[in-house]
Amino acid sequence: MRQRGLGLIIIALMLGMLLAALDQTIVSTALPTIVGDLGGLDHLSWVVTAYILASTVSTPLWGKLGDQYGRKRLFIAAIVIFLTGSALCGLSRNMGELIGFRGLQGLGGGGLMVLAQAIVGDVVSARDRGKYQGFFGAVFAVSSVVGPLVGGLFVDHLSWHWVFYVNLPLGAVALLVITAALPGDRQRARHTIDYAGVVLLGGATSCLVLIATWGGTVYPWADPVIVGLAVAAVVMLAGWVAAERRAREPVLPLALFRNQAFAASSVVGFVVGFGMFGALTYLPLYLQVVHGVSATLSGVYLLPMMAGMLTLSVVSGFVISKTGKYRFLPIAGTGIATVGMFLLSTLTESSGMPALSVYLLILGVGIGMTMQVLVIVVQNAVSFKDLGVATSGATFFRSIGGSFGVAALGAVFTGRLAQDVREVLAGSSLPPGFDPAEVQKDPTVVRRLPPGLAAEFLHAYADSIAMVFRVAAPVMLVAFLLSWFIPQQRLRETTKAADLGECLGATSAERSSLEEVERGLVRLADAELRTGYYTRMGDLAGLAGMRPEGVWIIARLGGKGWVSAAALAERARVSREQGRPYADQLVDDGFLERSADGEMLRLTERGQEAALRLLRCSREALSRSVADWGPHPQLEELLDRVAPDLLGALVDRPR
């Protein structure tokens, strides 16, 4: 594939990832305005929940269907679904429509996140894959951080509809490039897709989220609707357990829950997602309604939390890779996040912005210290056979925690607000023609009331949002207690190279165990190959004293016949005059020979033997990085495939 064509494809894939990640958080600062326009404050949480739930539950299907029927056509389908959902969200006339279309948008978003990363492995060489994985992780991380700010900018300078419409031109560009430039899939992998497991687990999760949303607010806890949802959830969970026992490729193997590290990390991840998305959903409401700041400024005030998350995720990954220790991080992180939640529970209508920024920074630091580690803990605790599904399970529980947390905390907020509003109405005289129900449907109504009455309603809103964090703080404390059950084990080499993007937000993973090891291996190789690699390889292969440029040429020509000298120079991005001295030295030393006209080059028998030794040394170095997974035929095949790809790459040519 030509470099220019590859660049276009990578940009298109990154656009798809950007849009899917951005839509997790971009609506947070737009929600107060959306509610003011469409009404339905009691349904606010579902605008966030519908997207996360749909994208999370659909992830296993997108990954396996892409393997089976071709990732290109599935990625195109995901873009079309996402853009259709985005357009319909922008056209929504009420909260019910918006919630339904957000679910459709999330269905496409799940495919964008999973397939964009998978396609990179199809179009990028093993040597360059680690770099591009880092790019995609950075895109997800940055979009998660700036999402609330971008949403606020659109609301203030255009309208809330553009929070969704912005996806259309960007998504159209991605669609055109992928359709025209991405080559068709050559390989297919047959799967026995666990449709029953996906449907039953998704249905049971949805029932539980509805119970958390409606129980005690819309319906009494003993209402037939709540009881029916509870019965349906139990029946579907029982059906899911039965389905997983029979499935050849279960979406979440039951045996994983017997692993202490997986079980503890899943619960902690669930609570971290619960807290993160709860804060992102209700703090903009506090800022815009209680303090009257603009949507853009509310996004600015959220930056300390997002910056704390991102910074500590990076720092945590660095500490783990250098020390091999990780157990203390989720313990400290959940403890700090608990303190942050408690501090946020003290907010009132008179709380100052500097104090709020400090509270948010503390919460972000705690979540950042925890998120990066949980995927590493799980990957480090399971066998190679379960690596892929355990990783997807860890991200699944974090995502479900986010959707469950927003719904449950939404019920807390709605219930408390209704109680506080009743108390205000009982002791206040209302202006003629004022409908008190409007306060709970449209928070902007409060600002149009007489100052004294407005202050009482603002207190009601501040108290209701503080109540959200009074509930979230003890939940986070449970995560702190459970984090002590995460065991410390010897850190595997490839596990050190976890991607930052996979540890933020509600992104989901859906890869095989072999793909998980390969991702870590190429990231490690990327760091290893940057400086002095061909000097070291030359020494190991018995070529001590040879210039690294000469070693690179031998590695590049190994296993090949006659190669054009001009083509070799072009591959090395040098002129023939610049490369000639190194080739001449190899000819003089008996490693290389030229054709009669001097235009073609090939290795001699001695040169081919040296190239084979280089390949063996490269493979041995890689094998040490995967040795702690134990012997496995798939790992041997991986080494045989990756080792030649890492030798003689353009990016590593000595300079």
Side-chain angles (χ1 to χ4, degrees), residues 510-524:
E510 184 59 35
R511 291 181 293 270
S512 67
S513 296
L514 186 64
E515 289 168 336
E516 288 291 349
V517 173
E518 184 174 355
R519 282 167 64 86
L521 185 63
V522 297
R523 293 289 292 274
L524 292 173

Side-chain angles (χ1 to χ4, degrees), residues 511-564:
R511 291 181 293 270
S512 67
S513 296
L514 186 64
E515 289 168 336
E516 288 291 349
V517 173
E518 184 174 355
R519 282 167 64 86
L521 185 63
V522 297
R523 293 289 292 274
L524 292 173
D526 180 51
E528 177 71 14
L529 290 164
R530 286 174 190 166
T531 56
Y533 180 75
Y534 286 93
T535 299
R536 297 194 302 273
M537 284 295 104
D539 292 343
L540 291 172
L543 303 174
M546 181 180 290
R547 293 291 301 271
E549 294 85 353
V551 178
W552 185 87
I553 292 174
I554 292 175
R556 182 68 196 161
L557 298 182
K560 297 180 176 64
W562 289 104
V563 174
S564 164

